[in-house]
Amino acid sequence: MPSQITVPFHGSNLFVVEHNGEPYTPLRPIVEGMGMEWSYQSRKLGSNRQRWGVAVIATVAQDNKTRETLCIPLRKLFGWLQTLHPNRVREDIRDKVIQYQNECDDVLWKHWTKQNTPNEIMPVMPPSSMRVLMYMEKGHVVSMQPVPEDSVVFRTEDIPKLLKEPGYFTVQQLKNVADTALSQLAMCAEQAMLLRR
C-alpha cells in the first residue's frame, strides 16, 4: 500500500497518496467537497485519461476500508480545477468551487511537502503571489511552469518591436540579446556551410 496522508480542508477530508514516487490525489473527495456531482466529473476525467494522468490507486477511505479510486497527479490538480467554471455551477456551491480553485492545490502540496521533507518544509508561494506561464491547446491548459518575479515572458514575434522601444531594456540586457543572437547566427552559418559541402 502506498503512503497516504489525510488533509482536512473546509469540512472535508482530502487525500494525497504516493504512486510511482509522485504525489497523487483522489478526486472524488475534492469533487464532493465542492458539492458537485462525482459521476459527471469521473466521466469527464475518464474521457481524457492521458491528459490528466489518471491512475486508479488503492487508497484507504474514511471508513478505513481499502478501495480503488480515481486519482490524478497533484501537479495536475491546479489545471483541472481551472477547467471548472463557477458561473456554470449551482449558485449555492459557487463560492465553494472558487474556494477550492484558490486554495485546494496549495493546501495539499503544503501537507505533502511537510511529510516528505522532515528537516525543512519547502516554501510554497500562495496563488496570490505566484506567477505562472500556462500553455494552452484548444482552450485547455496543457502545462504550466512558475515564472520568477524578475522574469518577463514575450512572444517571439514581439521581441524585434520591443528591442526598438527606447528604455525598455537596459544596455546590459541589449548586449546579452545581441550576444545570444550573434552566437545563434554563427551556429546557423556553420550548419549551412556543412550542408553545402
Side-chain angles (χ1 to χ4, degrees):
M1 172 72 76
S3 66
Q4 175 179 316
I5 59 171
T6 303
V7 180
F9 185 73
H10 296 291
S12 297
N13 281 328
L14 308 182
F15 305 92
V16 182
V17 60
E18 185 175 345
H19 178 68
N20 294 333
E22 182 178 356
Y24 276 68
T25 186
L27 278 179
R28 186 172 190 157
I30 294 172
V31 170
E32 291 178 346
M34 288 186 280
M36 297 177 70
E37 181 62 41
W38 170 241
S39 61
Y40 173 75
Q41 292 300 323
S42 67
R43 283 193 307 273
K44 183 172 132 180
L45 287 159
S47 70
N48 204 350
R49 295 175 77 87
Q50 187 175 6
R51 160 66 186 102
W52 297 112
V54 173
V56 178
I57 303 169
T59 61
V60 178
Q62 288 181 315
D63 60 4
N64 288 326
K65 293 184 180 178
T66 301
R67 293 196 174 87
E68 299 278 311
T69 185
L70 192 132
C71 302
I72 65 171
L74 188 51
R75 64 186 162 80
K76 299 263 189 178
L77 180 60
F78 174 82
W80 177 79
L81 284 167
Q82 299 315 304
T83 67
L84 306 176
H85 301 283
N87 58 340
R88 293 185 185 171
V89 300
R90 295 187 330 258
E91 191 172 339
D92 61 311
I93 64 170
R94 190 167 294 153
D95 289 342
K96 195 79 158 172
V97 170
I98 293 168
Q99 184 178 51
Y100 271 67
Q101 288 178 316
N102 290 336
E103 301 174 27
C104 182
D105 53 333
D106 284 321
V107 169
L108 291 175
W109 181 250
K110 286 177 184 177
H111 276 76
W112 181 256
T113 55
K114 184 185 291 187
Q115 173 190 308
N116 287 299
T117 53
N119 298 329
E120 183 179 339
I121 298 172
M122 293 172 55
V124 177
M125 293 188 300
S128 61
S129 66
M130 179 181 263
R131 297 177 65 210
V132 183
L133 177 63
M134 294 191 292
Y135 299 93
M136 299 182 75
E137 287 180 9
K138 298 179 182 174
H140 297 286
V141 177
V142 294
S143 70
M144 300 180 307
Q145 77 180 63
V147 178
E149 288 296 321
D150 62 347
S151 297
V152 181
V153 178
F154 300 113
R155 293 184 321 195
T156 307
E157 58 268 20
D158 292 340
I159 292 174
K161 180 173 68 176
L162 292 171
L163 289 172
K164 293 176 185 174
E165 189 74 33
Y168 198 87
F169 293 102
T170 66
V171 173
Q172 184 58 47
Q173 289 171 324
L174 288 171
K175 183 183 179 316
N176 292 343
V177 168
D179 289 345
T180 301
L182 287 172
S183 68
Q184 291 293 314
L185 285 170
M187 189 171 58
C188 290
E190 187 177 310
Q191 289 175 349
M193 293 302 289
L194 290 172
L195 290 173
R196 292 184 76 191
R197 293 181 185 161

